[in-house]
Amino acid sequence: MKTAQTAEPLSLQEIQVVSLVTAAHFLSHFYQFVLPPVFGLMAVKLNVGFTEMGLAITVFSIATGVSQTPAGFLVDRLGASKLLVLGVAVIGLAVACYGLVTTYWALLPLAAIAGCANSIFHPADFAILSDQVAERRIGRAFSFHAVAGNLGWAAAPIVMLGISAAFNIETAFISVGLAGVVLSIILA
């Protein structure tokens, strides 16, 4: 029986795959948490209260939950890699557009679009990792994947508040959203 100290390391190809998939997973969780740290700023910008801002998060979450199973079927039918690229691009664009909205009612459909795009990540990520990483090392790959998601949640408040303080809320959303577009190009 092998121990962690004697286990065979990930191959270079596996490291590349795990790195790209975990980067996408990082952004998925990051994007889930871009609005809450800046609720106050967005509420003032859109002239709404915290209840309305909470509804935007609810719309995102419901869209993700409702779309998750269909996303899994699409991943099986169309391919995980293609859909991961699409999901990263669409959620990045939707988040970038959060910075362009001038009314609350424009934010809600963007939250729904972002939520639908977010539903692609887990089915696509796990399909890619299961296909590209050797079974004897898949546990490590899944662990890196999980940690990356948690780091995304942790990074969102720091990044959003930091960019908003240094520039403005619009710049914060546009810049972090464009990071997803750049990652989708790298993934492609």
Side-chain angles (χ1 to χ4, degrees):
M1 183 167 160
K2 291 186 175 192
T3 65
Q5 290 81 15
T6 62
E8 183 181 333
L10 294 169
S11 71
L12 181 58
Q13 179 185 345
E14 289 171 331
I15 290 170
Q16 291 171 337
V17 168
V18 170
S19 297
L20 290 171
V21 170
T22 57
H25 192 234
F26 173 91
L27 277 183
S28 164
H29 284 241
F30 183 93
Y31 288 148
Q32 290 172 30
F33 211 59
V34 292
L35 276 172
V38 294
F39 265 12
L41 297 171
M42 283 298 281
V44 168
K45 175 183 175 177
L46 301 176
N47 198 29
V48 296
F50 283 92
T51 302
E52 290 85 357
M53 292 308 302
L55 179 61
I57 296 296
T58 303
V59 167
F60 179 100
S61 298
I62 289 172
T64 297
V66 169
S67 302
Q68 193 96 55
T69 300
F73 286 113
L74 284 173
V75 163
D76 289 343
R77 180 172 291 273
L78 302 175
S81 297
K82 292 175 194 171
L83 286 174
L84 184 60
V85 170
L86 179 65
V88 172
V90 170
I91 197 170
L93 288 171
V95 169
C97 288
Y98 287 0
L100 303 175
V101 298
T102 56
T103 68
Y104 173 71
W105 298 109
L107 178 64
L108 293 180
L110 290 171
I113 291 166
C116 289
N118 186 57
S119 73
I120 292 170
F121 286 89
H122 283 124
D125 289 357
F126 288 129
I128 293 168
L129 291 175
S130 296
D131 183 56
Q132 297 294 317
V133 177
E135 186 177 340
R136 63 189 175 279
R137 294 186 293 272
I138 197 70
R140 241 175 302 163
F142 285 170
S143 295
F144 287 128
H145 180 265
V147 168
N150 290 328
L151 290 174
W153 281 329
I158 296 165
V159 171
M160 291 302 295
L161 290 171
I163 296 173
S164 294
F167 300 99
N168 55 49
I169 194 166
E170 293 83 4
T171 302
F173 283 119
I174 293 168
S175 59
V176 300
L178 291 178
V181 175
V182 170
L183 181 60
S184 71
I185 293 167
I186 293 168
L187 287 169

Short mmCIF file of all heavy atoms in Angstrom, two decimals, residues 143-186:
data_model
loop_
_atom_site.label_atom_id
_atom_site.label_comp_id
_atom_site.label_asym_id
_atom_site.label_seq_id
_atom_site.Cartn_x
_atom_site.Cartn_y
_atom_site.Cartn_z
N SER A 143 -8.93 17.08 -4.78
CA SER A 143 -8.60 17.91 -3.63
C SER A 143 -8.12 19.29 -4.06
O SER A 143 -8.53 20.31 -3.50
CB SER A 143 -7.51 17.24 -2.79
OG SER A 143 -8.01 16.04 -2.23
N PHE A 144 -7.26 19.34 -5.07
CA PHE A 144 -6.82 20.64 -5.60
C PHE A 144 -8.02 21.43 -6.10
O PHE A 144 -8.13 22.64 -5.89
CB PHE A 144 -5.80 20.46 -6.73
CG PHE A 144 -4.44 20.03 -6.28
CD1 PHE A 144 -3.84 18.92 -6.86
CD2 PHE A 144 -3.75 20.71 -5.30
CE1 PHE A 144 -2.58 18.50 -6.46
CE2 PHE A 144 -2.49 20.31 -4.89
CZ PHE A 144 -1.90 19.20 -5.47
N HIS A 145 -8.93 20.74 -6.78
CA HIS A 145 -10.14 21.35 -7.31
C HIS A 145 -10.96 21.97 -6.18
O HIS A 145 -11.40 23.12 -6.27
CB HIS A 145 -10.94 20.26 -8.05
CG HIS A 145 -12.21 20.72 -8.65
ND1 HIS A 145 -13.42 20.59 -8.01
CD2 HIS A 145 -12.47 21.30 -9.84
CE1 HIS A 145 -14.38 21.06 -8.79
NE2 HIS A 145 -13.83 21.50 -9.91
N ALA A 146 -11.16 21.22 -5.11
CA ALA A 146 -11.96 21.71 -3.98
C ALA A 146 -11.30 22.91 -3.30
O ALA A 146 -11.97 23.91 -2.99
CB ALA A 146 -12.18 20.59 -2.96
N VAL A 147 -10.01 22.83 -3.09
CA VAL A 147 -9.29 23.94 -2.44
C VAL A 147 -9.37 25.20 -3.30
O VAL A 147 -9.57 26.30 -2.78
CB VAL A 147 -7.83 23.54 -2.14
CG1 VAL A 147 -6.99 24.75 -1.74
CG2 VAL A 147 -7.78 22.48 -1.05
N ALA A 148 -9.25 25.05 -4.60
CA ALA A 148 -9.32 26.21 -5.48
C ALA A 148 -10.67 26.91 -5.35
O ALA A 148 -10.73 28.15 -5.33
CB ALA A 148 -9.08 25.80 -6.94
N GLY A 149 -11.75 26.16 -5.26
CA GLY A 149 -13.07 26.77 -5.08
C GLY A 149 -13.14 27.56 -3.78
O GLY A 149 -13.62 28.70 -3.76
N ASN A 150 -12.65 26.97 -2.71
CA ASN A 150 -12.66 27.67 -1.42
C ASN A 150 -11.81 28.93 -1.45
O ASN A 150 -12.18 29.96 -0.88
CB ASN A 150 -12.18 26.73 -0.30
CG ASN A 150 -13.20 25.64 -0.02
OD1 ASN A 150 -14.39 25.83 -0.16
ND2 ASN A 150 -12.71 24.48 0.37
N LEU A 151 -10.68 28.87 -2.14
CA LEU A 151 -9.83 30.06 -2.28
C LEU A 151 -10.54 31.14 -3.09
O LEU A 151 -10.37 32.34 -2.83
CB LEU A 151 -8.49 29.70 -2.91
CG LEU A 151 -7.56 28.87 -2.03
CD1 LEU A 151 -6.32 28.44 -2.83
CD2 LEU A 151 -7.17 29.61 -0.77
N GLY A 152 -11.35 30.73 -4.06
CA GLY A 152 -12.14 31.70 -4.83
C GLY A 152 -13.10 32.47 -3.94
O GLY A 152 -13.22 33.70 -4.04
N TRP A 153 -13.78 31.74 -3.05
CA TRP A 153 -14.68 32.41 -2.10
C TRP A 153 -13.91 33.37 -1.22
O TRP A 153 -14.37 34.47 -0.92
CB TRP A 153 -15.39 31.40 -1.22
CG TRP A 153 -16.56 30.71 -1.86
CD1 TRP A 153 -17.41 31.20 -2.81
CD2 TRP A 153 -17.02 29.40 -1.55
NE1 TRP A 153 -18.37 30.28 -3.12
CE2 TRP A 153 -18.15 29.15 -2.36
CE3 TRP A 153 -16.60 28.40 -0.68
CZ2 TRP A 153 -18.86 27.96 -2.32
CZ3 TRP A 153 -17.30 27.21 -0.64
CH2 TRP A 153 -18.42 27.00 -1.45
N ALA A 154 -12.74 32.96 -0.75
CA ALA A 154 -11.95 33.80 0.15
C ALA A 154 -11.39 35.03 -0.55
O ALA A 154 -11.29 36.10 0.05
CB ALA A 154 -10.80 32.97 0.75
N ALA A 155 -11.03 34.89 -1.82
CA ALA A 155 -10.41 36.00 -2.55
C ALA A 155 -11.40 37.07 -2.99
O ALA A 155 -11.04 38.24 -3.10
CB ALA A 155 -9.67 35.45 -3.78
N ALA A 156 -12.64 36.70 -3.23
CA ALA A 156 -13.62 37.64 -3.79
C ALA A 156 -13.77 38.92 -2.95
O ALA A 156 -13.71 40.02 -3.50
CB ALA A 156 -14.95 36.96 -4.01
N PRO A 157 -13.99 38.82 -1.64
CA PRO A 157 -14.14 40.07 -0.88
C PRO A 157 -12.90 40.96 -0.92
O PRO A 157 -13.01 42.18 -1.06
CB PRO A 157 -14.42 39.59 0.55
CG PRO A 157 -14.84 38.18 0.43
CD PRO A 157 -14.20 37.64 -0.81
N ILE A 158 -11.74 40.34 -0.83
CA ILE A 158 -10.49 41.10 -0.83
C ILE A 158 -10.31 41.83 -2.16
O ILE A 158 -10.02 43.03 -2.20
CB ILE A 158 -9.29 40.16 -0.56
CG1 ILE A 158 -9.40 39.55 0.84
CG2 ILE A 158 -7.96 40.89 -0.74
CD1 ILE A 158 -8.51 38.36 1.06
N VAL A 159 -10.51 41.10 -3.24
CA VAL A 159 -10.31 41.68 -4.58
C VAL A 159 -11.37 42.73 -4.89
O VAL A 159 -11.05 43.84 -5.34
CB VAL A 159 -10.29 40.56 -5.65
CG1 VAL A 159 -10.31 41.15 -7.05
CG2 VAL A 159 -9.09 39.66 -5.45
N MET A 160 -12.63 42.40 -4.63
CA MET A 160 -13.70 43.34 -4.97
C MET A 160 -13.60 44.62 -4.16
O MET A 160 -13.74 45.72 -4.70
CB MET A 160 -15.08 42.67 -4.76
CG MET A 160 -15.38 41.58 -5.76
SD MET A 160 -15.33 42.14 -7.48
CE MET A 160 -16.69 43.29 -7.52
N LEU A 161 -13.35 44.50 -2.86
CA LEU A 161 -13.23 45.70 -2.04
C LEU A 161 -11.95 46.47 -2.36
O LEU A 161 -11.96 47.71 -2.38
CB LEU A 161 -13.29 45.34 -0.55
CG LEU A 161 -14.66 44.86 -0.07
CD1 LEU A 161 -14.57 44.32 1.35
CD2 LEU A 161 -15.71 45.96 -0.18
N GLY A 162 -10.89 45.74 -2.65
CA GLY A 162 -9.62 46.40 -2.99
C GLY A 162 -9.71 47.19 -4.27
O GLY A 162 -9.31 48.37 -4.32
N ILE A 163 -10.24 46.59 -5.32
CA ILE A 163 -10.37 47.30 -6.60
C ILE A 163 -11.38 48.43 -6.49
O ILE A 163 -11.16 49.53 -7.02
CB ILE A 163 -10.73 46.33 -7.75
CG1 ILE A 163 -9.62 45.32 -7.97
CG2 ILE A 163 -11.00 47.12 -9.04
CD1 ILE A 163 -9.97 44.21 -8.97
N SER A 164 -12.48 48.19 -5.77
CA SER A 164 -13.49 49.25 -5.60
C SER A 164 -12.92 50.44 -4.85
O SER A 164 -13.23 51.59 -5.19
CB SER A 164 -14.72 48.70 -4.86
OG SER A 164 -15.37 47.73 -5.64
N ALA A 165 -12.09 50.17 -3.85
CA ALA A 165 -11.48 51.27 -3.08
C ALA A 165 -10.44 52.01 -3.90
O ALA A 165 -10.35 53.24 -3.84
CB ALA A 165 -10.85 50.72 -1.79
N ALA A 166 -9.67 51.26 -4.68
CA ALA A 166 -8.60 51.89 -5.47
C ALA A 166 -9.16 52.63 -6.69
O ALA A 166 -8.61 53.66 -7.09
CB ALA A 166 -7.60 50.83 -5.93
N PHE A 167 -10.23 52.10 -7.28
CA PHE A 167 -10.80 52.71 -8.48
C PHE A 167 -12.27 53.01 -8.24
O PHE A 167 -12.62 54.06 -7.76
CB PHE A 167 -10.59 51.79 -9.69
CG PHE A 167 -9.15 51.51 -9.98
CD1 PHE A 167 -8.54 50.33 -9.54
CD2 PHE A 167 -8.37 52.42 -10.67
CE1 PHE A 167 -7.21 50.07 -9.79
CE2 PHE A 167 -7.04 52.18 -10.93
CZ PHE A 167 -6.45 51.00 -10.48
N ASN A 168 -13.12 52.07 -8.61
CA ASN A 168 -14.56 52.18 -8.36
C ASN A 168 -15.20 50.81 -8.58
O ASN A 168 -14.54 49.88 -9.04
CB ASN A 168 -15.21 53.26 -9.25
CG ASN A 168 -14.95 53.02 -10.73
OD1 ASN A 168 -15.13 51.92 -11.24
ND2 ASN A 168 -14.49 54.07 -11.41
N ILE A 169 -16.46 50.72 -8.25
CA ILE A 169 -17.14 49.43 -8.33
C ILE A 169 -17.27 48.94 -9.78
O ILE A 169 -17.19 47.74 -10.06
CB ILE A 169 -18.51 49.49 -7.62
CG1 ILE A 169 -19.06 48.08 -7.41
CG2 ILE A 169 -19.48 50.37 -8.36
CD1 ILE A 169 -20.21 48.02 -6.46
N GLU A 170 -17.45 49.88 -10.69
CA GLU A 170 -17.56 49.50 -12.11
C GLU A 170 -16.27 48.84 -12.58
O GLU A 170 -16.30 47.79 -13.24
CB GLU A 170 -17.87 50.74 -12.97
CG GLU A 170 -19.23 51.33 -12.73
CD GLU A 170 -19.31 52.28 -11.54
OE1 GLU A 170 -18.28 52.58 -10.91
OE2 GLU A 170 -20.43 52.72 -11.23
N THR A 171 -15.14 49.43 -12.25
CA THR A 171 -13.84 48.87 -12.62
C THR A 171 -13.64 47.50 -11.99
O THR A 171 -13.09 46.59 -12.62
CB THR A 171 -12.70 49.82 -12.20
OG1 THR A 171 -12.91 51.08 -12.83
CG2 THR A 171 -11.34 49.27 -12.59
N ALA A 172 -14.10 47.34 -10.76
CA ALA A 172 -13.96 46.05 -10.08
C ALA A 172 -14.69 44.96 -10.85
O ALA A 172 -14.11 43.91 -11.17
CB ALA A 172 -14.49 46.15 -8.64
N PHE A 173 -15.96 45.18 -11.18
CA PHE A 173 -16.72 44.15 -11.90
C PHE A 173 -16.17 43.91 -13.30
O PHE A 173 -16.03 42.76 -13.73
CB PHE A 173 -18.20 44.54 -11.99
CG PHE A 173 -18.96 44.32 -10.73
CD1 PHE A 173 -19.57 45.37 -10.08
CD2 PHE A 173 -19.06 43.05 -10.17
CE1 PHE A 173 -20.27 45.18 -8.90
CE2 PHE A 173 -19.76 42.84 -9.00
CZ PHE A 173 -20.37 43.91 -8.36
N ILE A 174 -15.85 44.96 -14.01
CA ILE A 174 -15.36 44.80 -15.38
C ILE A 174 -14.02 44.06 -15.39
O ILE A 174 -13.83 43.13 -16.17
CB ILE A 174 -15.26 46.17 -16.10
CG1 ILE A 174 -16.67 46.74 -16.31
CG2 ILE A 174 -14.51 46.04 -17.41
CD1 ILE A 174 -16.71 48.19 -16.74
N SER A 175 -13.12 44.40 -14.49
CA SER A 175 -11.81 43.75 -14.50
C SER A 175 -11.88 42.29 -14.08
O SER A 175 -11.27 41.44 -14.72
CB SER A 175 -10.80 44.53 -13.63
OG SER A 175 -11.25 44.62 -12.30
N VAL A 176 -12.66 41.97 -13.04
CA VAL A 176 -12.73 40.55 -12.65
C VAL A 176 -13.52 39.75 -13.66
O VAL A 176 -13.23 38.57 -13.90
CB VAL A 176 -13.28 40.36 -11.21
CG1 VAL A 176 -12.41 41.06 -10.18
CG2 VAL A 176 -14.73 40.75 -11.07
N GLY A 177 -14.50 40.38 -14.29
CA GLY A 177 -15.23 39.68 -15.35
C GLY A 177 -14.36 39.38 -16.55
O GLY A 177 -14.41 38.28 -17.11
N LEU A 178 -13.54 40.34 -16.93
CA LEU A 178 -12.64 40.12 -18.07
C LEU A 178 -11.59 39.04 -17.78
O LEU A 178 -11.10 38.39 -18.70
CB LEU A 178 -11.99 41.43 -18.51
CG LEU A 178 -12.96 42.44 -19.14
CD1 LEU A 178 -12.23 43.72 -19.49
CD2 LEU A 178 -13.67 41.87 -20.35
N ALA A 179 -11.29 38.82 -16.51
CA ALA A 179 -10.38 37.72 -16.14
C ALA A 179 -10.96 36.39 -16.59
O ALA A 179 -10.23 35.50 -17.05
CB ALA A 179 -10.12 37.72 -14.64
N GLY A 180 -12.27 36.24 -16.51
CA GLY A 180 -12.92 35.02 -16.99
C GLY A 180 -12.83 34.88 -18.50
O GLY A 180 -12.63 33.78 -19.01
N VAL A 181 -12.97 35.98 -19.20
CA VAL A 181 -12.84 35.94 -20.66
C VAL A 181 -11.42 35.52 -21.05
O VAL A 181 -11.24 34.68 -21.94
CB VAL A 181 -13.23 37.31 -21.28
CG1 VAL A 181 -12.98 37.31 -22.78
CG2 VAL A 181 -14.67 37.65 -20.97
N VAL A 182 -10.44 36.09 -20.36
CA VAL A 182 -9.04 35.72 -20.63
C VAL A 182 -8.82 34.23 -20.34
O VAL A 182 -8.21 33.53 -21.15
CB VAL A 182 -8.07 36.60 -19.81
CG1 VAL A 182 -6.65 36.07 -19.87
CG2 VAL A 182 -8.13 38.04 -20.29
N LEU A 183 -9.34 33.75 -19.21
CA LEU A 183 -9.19 32.33 -18.89
C LEU A 183 -9.87 31.45 -19.92
O LEU A 183 -9.34 30.40 -20.29
CB LEU A 183 -9.69 32.01 -17.48
CG LEU A 183 -9.53 30.54 -17.07
CD1 LEU A 183 -8.07 30.10 -17.10
CD2 LEU A 183 -10.13 30.30 -15.70
N SER A 184 -11.03 31.87 -20.42
CA SER A 184 -11.70 31.05 -21.44
C SER A 184 -10.87 30.96 -22.71
O SER A 184 -10.84 29.91 -23.36
CB SER A 184 -13.11 31.61 -21.74
OG SER A 184 -13.03 32.83 -22.46
N ILE A 185 -10.15 32.02 -23.05
CA ILE A 185 -9.26 31.98 -24.22
C ILE A 185 -8.11 31.02 -23.96
O ILE A 185 -7.75 30.22 -24.84
CB ILE A 185 -8.75 33.41 -24.57
CG1 ILE A 185 -9.93 34.26 -25.05
CG2 ILE A 185 -7.63 33.36 -25.60
CD1 ILE A 185 -9.63 35.75 -25.11
N ILE A 186 -7.55 31.06 -22.78
CA ILE A 186 -6.47 30.13 -22.42
C ILE A 186 -6.98 28.70 -22.44
O ILE A 186 -6.30 27.80 -22.97
CB ILE A 186 -5.88 30.49 -21.03
CG1 ILE A 186 -5.17 31.84 -21.11
CG2 ILE A 186 -4.92 29.40 -20.55
CD1 ILE A 186 -4.81 32.42 -19.74
#
